[in-house]
Amino acid sequence: MAVVTGIKEIIKPENLVYKKTNIMTENILSYCPGCGHGTAHRILAEIIEEEGLQSEAIGVSPVGCSVLLYNYLDIDWQEAAHGRAPAVATAIKRLMPEKFVFTYQGDGDLAAIGTAETIHACNRGENIMIIFINNGIYGMTGGQMAPTTLPGMKSSTSPYGRDVKTMGNPLKMTDIVATLPGSYYVTRQSVHTPANVKKTKKAIRKAVRYQKLDKGTCLIEIVSNCPSGWKMTPVQSNKWMEENMFPYYPLGDLKTPVE
Amino acid sequence: MAKIKGSIVVNIEKCKGCEVCMVSCPTGTIAMAKEVNGKGYYYAFPANPELCIGCANCAMVCPDGVITVYKTKI
Ligand SMILES: Cc1ncc(C[n+]2csc(CCOP(=O)(O)OP(=O)(O)O)c2C)c(N)n1
Ligand code: SF4
Ligand code: SF4
Ligand code: SF4
Ligand SMILES: [Mg+2]
């Protein structure tokens, strides 16, 4: 492994504070430089390791840039047809209630083609965790407008910006899910700074605990960047996300259980 | 008073040169190399290693799991 290192004397096993978890495979992620999908995968993998869930976890991967997710986390996976992950996860969890079952879905997957599956699974209160990566765009297919695309936001199919009069309003799926009786814990987070990474990890850990207690659907939205689709550098895209995505999709809990 | 010193290890060939680690580093330890890795990316490296405090901010935000962090008191 070709490496560059800081001060060599400090690099000893007893001084280790952070190392990529082995739940993440050695495969090179297929994502563009700086894409939040990678960070989201890594912290999900860290929680699976820290909670000792490697042999219990079953993920349902989506269609979208993260379609190859099953190559990156060393756990059991089922690939679902586009948008159908919550229905597939429903079946898996009902057949194997002792497993930790979750979906990982983009906004095109969860809030466009999969709207019905999302709403009904959450309304039934299926005991699953849904990770929802909202980058406001169809990343994989070339940056087309999604239901989540912001008003005025440019995409390959709204080159002059989304005109809500002709193209409709952005859909806040997480807000809708929070109103459903079956949802138990609903939160919106991000992974673009160390502080936000810590908060998102905390949220995923809570969802793991709630699933063990059979509490119902937990949905964690991660507002994320798509540097390629947004046509920005990764650092610019994170700044743009703070300035434009967060006012429309404010971070924080939308539904917290009374414990 | 004991001083906290850190040190990072960057897996050069996995780095995609996104610079997200560099802007998250509170001490200005990280810069981008002037040369590229096998994939053509200007990889991150500890340009000012003596400044590192081992806070792991860089590793936490790296989408590609490139950075390992060590820390000690001296
Ligand atoms: C049934 C079906 N319809 C359309 C597509 C084309 N398609 C692939 S990915 C995608 C959207 C992905 O967007 P999103 O879920 O937001 O994921 P991202 O790539 O942004 O992470 C679409 C429409 C498909 N693969 N299958
Ligand atoms: S297209 Fe966008 S979402 Fe897909 S990998 Fe690239 S930056 Fe990430
Ligand atoms: S561990 Fe902290 S101080 Fe050291 S390079 Fe990383 S972010 Fe900078
Ligand atoms: S965050 Fe990771 S991939 Fe991006 S430049 Fe830093 S080390 Fe490289
Ligand atoms: Mg998307």
Side-chain angles (χ1 to χ4, degrees):
Chain A
M1 183 169 96
V3 295
V4 270
T5 64
I7 299 169
K8 292 227 165 38
E9 294 69 48
I10 301 173
I11 301 169
K12 295 181 194 152
E14 64 269 29
N15 294 337
L16 181 71
V17 283
Y18 191 96
K19 184 179 176 282
K20 176 186 79 62
T21 158
N22 287 333
I23 304 272
M24 285 300 288
T25 65
E26 289 305 316
N27 293 328
I28 302 278
L29 301 177
S30 53
Y31 306 116
C32 309
C35 175
H37 271 303
T39 316
H41 290 10
R42 213 192 57 242
I43 62 176
L44 179 59
E46 285 171 8
I47 294 289
I48 288 172
E49 173 168 62
E50 289 161 21
E51 300 290 321
L53 294 171
Q54 185 171 23
S55 53
E56 260 179 68
I58 303 179
V60 184
S61 51
V63 172
C65 280
S66 49
V67 66
L68 299 175
L69 180 45
Y70 48 74
N71 285 334
Y72 305 139
L73 265 72
D74 188 10
I75 58 169
D76 287 333
W77 287 98
Q78 175 62 53
E79 174 63 47
H82 202 8
R84 287 15 171 182
V88 175
T90 295
I92 295 173
K93 184 69 185 182
R94 287 186 181 202
L95 288 166
M96 288 177 268
E98 73 288 358
K99 297 286 184 182
F100 173 66
V101 180
F102 69 92
T103 73
Y104 182 106
Q105 304 173 256
D107 48 309
D109 193 85
L110 179 144
I113 193 167
T115 306
E117 283 76 8
T118 307
I119 287 186
H120 288 294
C122 295
N123 197 44
R124 292 192 304 269
E126 297 297 338
N127 192 29
I128 57 173
M129 174 177 81
I130 296 176
I131 304 270
F132 167 31
I133 307 293
N134 180 8
N135 53 19
I137 207 162
Y138 292 175
M140 184 194 208
T141 43
Q144 291 84 0
M145 190 179 76
T148 45
T149 300
L150 299 177
M153 182 173 165
K154 288 186 176 141
S155 70
S156 61
T157 48
S158 59
Y160 304 107
R162 181 179 190 158
D163 168 23
V164 294
K165 215 152 175 209
T166 51
M167 302 169 196
N169 295 287
L171 190 59
K172 297 187 180 182
M173 275 295 272
T174 303
D175 296 58
I176 295 171
V177 165
T179 66
L180 303 174
S183 64
Y184 188 70
Y185 172 55
V186 181
T187 188
R188 186 183 285 119
Q189 302 292 338
S190 77
V191 294
H192 68 305
T193 70
N196 292 99
V197 162
K198 284 181 195 154
K199 283 188 192 164
T200 305
K201 275 189 78 170
K202 224 172 151 179
I204 299 174
R205 206 185 300 281
K206 276 189 194 171
V208 167
R209 188 156 57 86
Y210 296 146
Q211 187 169 135
K212 280 192 184 138
L213 299 171
D214 197 16
K215 294 291 189 185
T217 317
C218 294
L219 186 142
I220 300 164
E221 174 178 345
I222 298 175
V223 181
S224 192
N225 62 347
C226 176
S228 296
W230 298 358
K231 308 207 185 306
M232 295 171 199
T233 68
V235 172
Q236 281 170 344
S237 73
N238 283 335
K239 189 156 184 289
W240 191 90
M241 180 171 74
E242 285 179 351
E243 289 167 359
N244 298 275
M245 295 284 278
F246 294 173
Y248 206 86
Y249 299 111
L251 303 188
D253 291 340
L254 287 93
K255 188 178 203 175
T256 44
V258 203
E259 287 185 87
Chain B
M1 209 179 80
K3 256 190 120 176
I4 296 192
K5 282 270 175 202
S7 188
I8 61 169
V9 177
V10 178
N11 184 349
I12 296 173
E13 291 306 322
K14 265 196 151 180
C15 175
K16 293 179 183 164
C18 72
E19 305 185 1
V20 170
C21 55
M22 186 173 80
V23 300
S24 298
C25 174
T27 62
T29 301
I30 299 176
M32 306 314 288
K34 295 274 184 295
E35 57 196 66
V36 296
N37 64 13
K39 290 268 199 295
Y41 293 120
Y42 294 98
Y43 56 90
F45 80 109
N48 302 299
E50 69 291 347
L51 300 180
C52 179
I53 52 170
C55 66
N57 275 9
C58 52
M60 267 187 275
V61 296
C62 173
D64 292 89
V66 172
I67 302 176
T68 307
V69 185
Y70 298 84
K71 181 164 85 170
T72 189
K73 274 193 202 137
I74 48 172

